[in-house]
Amino acid sequence: MATSLGAALQRSRVYELVIGDDNRSIKITSLNIKFSVTKSADNKENKNKATVEIYNLSRDIRKYLEESLVRVQLSVGYLDTGVTPLFAGEV
């Protein structure tokens, strides 16, 4: 029983990855991603870190990500509860 509940929860996971700023931004919600977030207890000395892998990006989006200081915000959650911000920072 636990396996089917776990599988159901995994299928209902959602994310929203916003890349850019107020002038230009891209919202990714349907591509496959893999991420890892490390939060620090002391944000003054050690900044939080995130690694996000996005699969099947278009050439234009890849080029945009290569620009300096691109802002990103990763929000995660479930279909029935919506998303909550997990990480915000710069590439």
Side-chain angles (χ1 to χ4, degrees):
M1 189 66 113
T3 303
S4 62
L5 176 59
L9 286 175
Q10 189 170 14
R11 283 191 298 273
S12 67
R13 289 180 182 168
V14 293
Y15 76 92
E16 181 177 274
L17 181 63
V18 179
I19 304 167
D21 56 25
D22 293 336
N23 297 323
R24 179 179 173 205
S25 66
I26 300 163
K27 185 188 293 187
I28 299 171
T29 59
S30 60
L31 295 176
N32 287 333
I33 69 166
K34 178 178 170 182
F35 65 88
S36 171
V37 176
T38 303
K39 295 215 173 214
S40 171
D42 179 14
N43 285 342
K44 292 180 183 175
E45 295 295 320
N46 299 310
K47 296 184 182 215
N48 296 332
K49 296 178 184 177
T51 302
V52 180
E53 294 179 36
I54 311 163
Y55 301 94
N56 299 318
L57 278 176
S58 70
R59 230 180 243 156
D60 291 338
I61 295 176
R62 284 194 310 261
K63 185 175 178 179
Y64 178 63
L65 288 173
E66 292 170 357
E67 296 176 11
S68 62
L69 299 178
V70 176
R71 301 265 321 143
V72 297
Q73 179 171 324
L74 175 64
S75 301
V76 297
Y78 294 94
L79 284 172
D80 57 344
T81 59
V83 296
T84 301
L86 179 64
F87 179 83
E90 296 175 342
V91 173

